Amino acid sequence: MTPRRRIVLTRQAAQNRPWAERLRAAGHDVLELPLLRFRALAAAGEVQADRYDWIVLTSPHAAEAFMDLGLDLGTARCACLGPGTAAALTAAGGRDDLG
């Protein structure tokens, strides 16, 4: 039997949920304590994406936030770092031009 542990999960609630459920099912005490908050730093009118050759997205959160801005990409291309980021971009209606 695995010894009972006290575990703190620091990701956002939606990301914690699968881990928290598995850990609780294994008999551990789990505290969910999100330490990060994501917010857009610019409004769509402040970003001129068409001035860039590439937009590099480094996380699923970045991909979702980027698509929420509803920018006109013009000739700019998107590159995603990792399959999770590419999946989030595609799910939000974007395209990974690098992958």
Side-chain angles (χ1 to χ4, degrees):
M1 181 171 162
T2 304
R4 186 178 187 96
R5 302 281 187 215
R6 290 179 290 173
I7 301 167
V8 178
L9 298 175
T10 60
R11 298 178 89 180
Q12 288 189 316
Q15 293 175 312
N16 277 339
R17 195 166 298 118
W19 287 102
E21 290 172 1
R22 289 179 66 191
L23 291 166
R24 286 185 180 112
H28 301 295
D29 294 322
V30 178
L31 172 63
E32 295 183 59
L33 182 66
L35 296 178
L36 297 175
R37 180 180 57 187
F38 295 94
R39 61 185 171 92
L41 295 178
E46 298 172 13
V47 177
Q48 296 174 337
D50 61 346
R51 294 181 55 207
Y52 299 93
D53 297 318
W54 284 93
I55 309 282
V56 179
L57 303 168
T58 60
S59 72
H61 292 292
E64 292 163 6
F66 180 74
M67 291 303 294
D68 286 347
L69 289 174
L71 299 174
D72 176 13
L73 293 177
T75 60
R77 295 181 285 174
C78 288
C80 294
L81 299 183
T85 304
L89 182 65
T90 302
R95 69 182 190 284
D96 178 10
D97 295 306
L98 188 61

